Amino acid sequence: MGDARQYFDLPSPFPMKRGGVLHGARVAYETWGELNAARDNAILIFTGLSPSAHAASNAEDPSAGWWEDMLGPGRYIDTRRWFVICVNTLGSCKGSTGAASINPATGEPYRLEFPELTLEDAANAGHALVKGLGIERLACLLGNSMGGMTALAYLALHPGSARSHISISTAPQAQPFAIAIRSLQREAIRLDPNWNNGHYTEEQYPEAGMSIARKLGVITYRSAMEWVGRFARIRLESDQRDEEPFGAEFQIESYLVGHARRFVRNFDPNSYLYLSRASDWFDVGEYGDGSVAQGLSRIALQRALVIGVETDILFPLSQQEEIATGLRAGGAEVEFVALDSPQGHDAFLVDITRFGAAIAHFLARL
Amino acid sequence: MGDARQYFDLPSPFPMKRGGVLHGARVAYETWGELNAARDNAILIFTGLSPSAHAASNAEDPSAGWWEDMLGPGRYIDTRRWFVICVNTLGSCKGSTGAASINPATGEPYRLEFPELTLEDAANAGHALVKGLGIERLACLLGNSMGGMTALAYLALHPGSARSHISISTAPQAQPFAIAIRSLQREAIRLDPNWNNGHYTEEQYPEAGMSIARKLGVITYRSAMEWVGRFARIRLESDQRDEEPFGAEFQIESYLVGHARRFVRNFDPNSYLYLSRASDWFDVGEYGDGSVAQGLSRIALQRALVIGVETDILFPLSQQEEIATGLRAGGAEVEFVALDSPQGHDAFLVDITRFGAAIAHFLARL
């Protein structure tokens, strides 16, 4: 498998919102399509917490990306027309500088010496990348989940930096239910003795904490309704059962085990903690008088598409409505799409047909 | 503080549904009011997972019970008319025999040697108590949350044992979302090194696992909507903050900490595991051809009241509707009440006014 990642060196020092600076930091990104001569066909994608910049296959890396069916020549986001950039969030561990990167001041991994991270820092890093690619103004800024919050920070901090915006299953501020879930995920990692205040090793790794955190994530990313149809009360075959006391017995349990297994060693626990907390901190109200409505109304856009899902318990539809209303108050022509996909928060990764139709329709009119 | 608990010795040996027997087992219970001469004014209450039999204050124990405002002279369940019995679930640790009790065969606590527990066993223990009190037929069997499932087991196993039934925020079978949540709670306890396969001590106690389990419980017992109004994004005062890396910063986090602190040492971890799994196993469909509808339709009652809450994510309203429909098919006159209380699953403990009104109205017509 190839590697399509490119790297952009951030200005050094790179100042962080809550204090401190990064030296020699960079972000990983991938691109699809061609930037046109007018440099006005660029779409930047900010991702959710865990995905890499590999949103779709490309010549350098033909493996399927996390949004494979959404993005490519002739697909919903048609890369024959659009120059698409997907950036690995600053603070992540998929090529961008984060807690697992080497701290140039010590020659050792940052671990908890990494400065406090906010989504505003991630937004600024994305903005520096766009400028570095010679793009003055994005045709569209797209963000889903945590990336949707990052996108709102980008728009608030850099007026006029995008003509349009696609906001998917995200939040204008972290609400207490989402904070509670993320706080508990962080606690599971922190309480794992192997976390060791961030000083884990490959041998002494917080597997248990990461497993609980991921399973709790998956539970809140999907929906009860989907699972009734998909798993009901189907039991595991006896040879698939976990022989431990109180071990897995139902298919839903082994589904969660599978998700956890694929995740725990593929995401750096400290980076997870930093990004998780950054999501809790986000509040677009900071860009107004404190209220979400006013913060959003200060964002100037020509057009926006806001998509939410009725079964999403982590980023409820009511928050997508708030975003649509707030951006409309700022003067944008806003299209609001509420989907009844059963897959909950994750629907944008699964129900590509419906999300794709809304996105393609929006982009066609740009 | 006094102790109002009475104890009923179960028949010995007491056979368990999934195999094994208990010797010398007992259940703790409390009562309010007087059994009348016709012995036809008794109401039995099965509780949720963690409450004791102390539903309300009484002469022997004037401390407030977990349903204090619901139950008593002149209250919604008026103990001047009704003889109310609340039983601590078999397998719990609040006086009834469970994993923390002494195994008479060894003189040591059962721990994981306790036989596999089902809600049918808890139902049978409750039924033995009722018979032991000389009551042939209950005026009403009431169950909330896990207790509602126990009540359905009671009715299915003991035809004609109750004239009426009040079912509150429960499930006719465990659905995958609830199984996933409970499985994760159990995993948090099991992964705590101090759990030690059930051989914890007061000194080496699975605090971390119990804390995560309880917090996850509280998150699913309440509702996102309630918390937006109650906690929003209010931060802790700086002197209340946890100085640990990634420690609590928002009020919602310290609310969860408070709940966990009150719980972890007040409930036996092994008993928690047993009761949690018993809930996963419950399926009223076993009493029919496998379907919930048919299992419920085989329950014969004169009247039933089924109450659910729109914001309950753990025991969704759709499951309360299933119960109402199923009992109606069995011939009962069923009243179905859907409340829009914001407190989610816990509403029956908090929104006493609305639950009380529905219950009092139902009981008045018995």
Side-chain angles (χ1 to χ4, degrees):
Chain A
M1 206 189 313
D3 189 340
R5 282 180 295 191
Q6 303 174 65
Y7 296 91
F8 175 75
D9 291 325
L10 295 173
S12 185
F14 181 82
M16 303 287 275
K17 179 187 176 192
R18 292 174 67 104
V21 298
L22 295 176
H23 292 279
R26 63 183 194 173
V27 285
Y29 66 101
E30 296 191 25
T31 69
W32 298 261
E34 301 289 336
L35 188 60
N36 64 13
R39 299 182 169 278
D40 66 359
N41 69 330
I43 297 176
L44 175 68
I45 298 175
F46 281 120
T47 77
L49 190 151
S50 59
S52 72
H54 191 57
S57 55
N58 39 29
E60 297 75 18
D61 182 355
S63 69
W66 56 266
W67 231 9
E68 184 66 21
D69 295 329
M70 183 64 80
L71 185 69
R75 298 224 169 100
Y76 299 104
I77 301 176
D78 190 342
T79 54
R80 295 172 307 194
R81 177 179 177 197
W82 303 107
F83 175 62
V84 179
I85 311 155
C86 182
V87 61
N88 181 233
T89 311
L90 181 70
S92 175
C93 54
K94 303 291 185 185
S96 294
T97 300
S101 305
I102 299 297
N103 178 353
T106 63
E108 298 288 325
Y110 280 105
R111 302 183 184 271
L112 303 197
E113 298 300 313
F114 196 75
E116 290 188 339
L117 177 77
T118 67
L119 296 182
E120 281 82 353
D121 302 317
N124 286 336
H127 186 254
L129 164 65
V130 168
K131 299 284 275 190
L133 294 173
I135 298 161
E136 201 52 47
R137 200 173 187 209
L138 292 166
C140 184
L141 175 61
L142 186 156
N144 41 47
S145 191
M146 187 189 82
M149 298 194 272
T150 313
L152 289 176
Y154 187 110
L155 295 168
L157 291 167
H158 304 285
S161 59
R163 278 193 289 148
S164 75
H165 174 43
I166 299 177
S167 172
I168 296 176
S169 299
T170 189
Q173 65 174 194
Q175 284 187 341
F177 180 81
I179 293 174
I181 293 284
R182 285 191 292 256
S183 174
L184 194 53
Q185 291 172 312
R186 295 193 297 271
E187 180 169 348
I189 296 169
R190 293 161 57 214
L191 286 176
D192 187 323
N194 284 345
W195 178 60
N196 191 21
N197 268 295
H199 287 272
Y200 44 84
T201 63
E202 281 300 308
E203 293 71 38
Q204 299 271 316
Y205 188 92
E207 293 244 8
M210 285 292 279
S211 171
I212 291 173
R214 182 57 170 178
K215 288 180 175 181
L216 181 51
V218 173
I219 289 172
T220 55
Y221 297 157
R222 311 298 289 211
S223 88
M225 191 224 286
E226 181 203 23
W227 285 355
V228 167
R230 195 166 160 191
F231 300 109
R233 291 179 52 77
I234 301 170
R235 284 174 156 86
L236 296 168
E237 301 293 329
S238 54
D239 61 342
Q240 298 172 306
R241 288 201 190 171
D242 175 351
E243 289 307 309
E244 295 294 307
F246 303 98
E249 177 175 342
F250 291 93
Q251 276 196 0
I252 181 63
E253 295 176 281
S254 69
Y255 167 80
L256 295 176
V257 169
H259 269 282
R261 200 167 281 157
R262 290 191 294 279
F263 186 74
V264 292
R265 290 281 181 169
N266 286 313
F267 207 89
D268 173 57
N270 288 335
S271 302
Y272 188 91
L273 294 171
Y274 273 90
L275 289 164
S276 167
R277 189 178 52 179
S279 295
D280 284 3
W281 280 336
F282 183 69
D283 183 0
V284 79
E286 289 178 17
Y287 302 98
D289 57 3
S291 81
V292 159
Q294 222 221 6
L296 287 166
S297 75
R298 295 212 175 154
I299 292 174
L301 284 164
Q302 291 173 13
R303 296 185 51 223
L305 167 64
V306 179
I307 315 181
V309 176
E310 288 167 14
T311 54
D312 189 338
I313 58 173
L314 200 57
F315 293 86
L317 201 59
S318 57
Q319 291 202 291
Q320 318 316 314
E321 285 166 351
E322 274 190 291
I323 293 172
T325 304
L327 294 179
R328 204 171 276 137
E333 182 194 328
V334 178
E335 197 178 332
F336 176 61
V337 176
L339 297 176
D340 62 357
S341 314
Q343 299 91 356
H345 182 62
D346 266 359
F348 69 90
L349 297 171
V350 186
D351 193 358
I352 298 295
T353 313
R354 276 193 268 193
F355 276 84
I359 290 169
H361 178 258
F362 178 80
L363 292 177
R365 298 198 304 139
L366 275 192
Chain B
M1 203 189 312
D3 188 339
R5 282 180 294 190
Q6 303 173 66
Y7 296 90
F8 175 76
D9 291 325
L10 295 173
S12 185
F14 182 82
M16 302 288 274
K17 180 187 174 192
R18 291 174 66 106
V21 297
L22 295 177
H23 291 279
R26 64 184 194 172
V27 286
Y29 67 100
E30 295 191 23
T31 68
W32 299 260
E34 300 290 335
L35 187 61
N36 63 14
R39 300 182 169 277
D40 66 359
N41 71 328
I43 298 177
L44 175 68
I45 298 176
F46 282 120
T47 77
L49 191 151
S50 59
S52 71
H54 192 58
S57 56
N58 39 30
E60 297 75 19
D61 181 356
S63 68
W66 57 266
W67 231 11
E68 184 66 21
D69 295 329
M70 183 64 80
L71 186 69
R75 298 226 169 99
Y76 299 104
I77 301 175
D78 191 342
T79 54
R80 296 173 305 194
R81 176 178 176 199
W82 303 107
F83 174 62
V84 179
I85 310 154
C86 182
V87 60
N88 180 233
T89 311
L90 182 70
S92 176
C93 54
K94 302 293 185 185
S96 295
T97 300
S101 304
I102 297 297
N103 178 353
T106 64
E108 298 288 324
Y110 280 105
R111 300 185 186 271
L112 304 197
E113 298 300 314
F114 196 75
E116 291 187 340
L117 177 78
T118 67
L119 296 183
E120 281 81 354
D121 303 317
N124 286 336
H127 186 254
L129 164 65
V130 169
K131 299 282 275 189
L133 293 174
I135 298 161
E136 200 53 47
R137 200 171 187 211
L138 292 167
C140 185
L141 175 60
L142 186 156
N144 41 46
S145 191
M146 186 189 83
M149 298 194 273
T150 313
L152 289 176
Y154 187 109
L155 296 169
L157 291 167
H158 303 286
S161 60
R163 276 194 290 150
S164 74
H165 174 43
I166 299 178
S167 172
I168 296 176
S169 300
T170 189
Q173 65 174 192
Q175 283 187 341
F177 180 81
I179 293 173
I181 293 284
R182 286 191 290 256
S183 175
L184 194 52
Q185 291 173 313
R186 294 193 297 270
E187 180 169 347
I189 296 170
R190 292 163 55 216
L191 286 176
D192 188 322
N194 284 345
W195 178 60
N196 190 23
N197 268 294
H199 287 271
Y200 43 86
T201 63
E202 281 302 306
E203 294 71 38
Q204 300 270 317
Y205 188 92
E207 293 246 7
M210 284 292 281
S211 171
I212 291 173
R214 182 57 170 179
K215 287 180 175 180
L216 181 51
V218 173
I219 289 172
T220 55
Y221 298 157
R222 311 298 291 210
S223 89
M225 191 225 284
E226 181 202 23
W227 286 355
V228 167
R230 194 165 161 191
F231 301 109
R233 291 179 53 77
I234 302 170
R235 283 176 158 83
L236 296 169
E237 301 295 329
S238 55
D239 62 342
Q240 298 172 306
R241 286 201 192 172
D242 175 354
E243 289 306 310
E244 295 294 306
F246 303 98
E249 177 175 342
F250 292 93
Q251 275 196 0
I252 180 63
E253 296 177 280
S254 70
Y255 167 81
L256 295 177
V257 169
H259 269 281
R261 201 167 281 158
R262 289 191 293 280
F263 186 75
V264 292
R265 291 280 181 169
N266 287 313
F267 207 88
D268 173 58
N270 288 336
S271 302
Y272 188 91
L273 294 171
Y274 273 90
L275 289 165
S276 166
R277 188 178 53 177
S279 295
D280 285 2
W281 280 336
F282 183 68
D283 183 0
V284 79
E286 289 178 18
Y287 302 98
D289 58 2
S291 81
V292 159
Q294 223 222 5
L296 287 166
S297 75
R298 294 212 176 156
I299 292 173
L301 284 164
Q302 291 173 15
R303 296 184 53 222
L305 167 65
V306 179
I307 315 181
V309 175
E310 287 167 14
T311 53
D312 188 338
I313 59 173
L314 199 58
F315 293 85
L317 201 57
S318 57
Q319 291 201 293
Q320 317 317 314
E321 285 166 352
E322 273 190 290
I323 294 172
T325 305
L327 294 179
R328 206 171 275 138
E333 182 194 329
V334 179
E335 198 179 330
F336 176 60
V337 176
L339 297 175
D340 62 356
S341 314
Q343 299 93 355
H345 181 62
D346 266 359
F348 69 89
L349 296 171
V350 186
D351 194 357
I352 298 296
T353 313
R354 274 193 270 193
F355 276 83
I359 290 169
H361 179 258
F362 179 80
L363 292 178
R365 297 199 304 139
L366 274 192

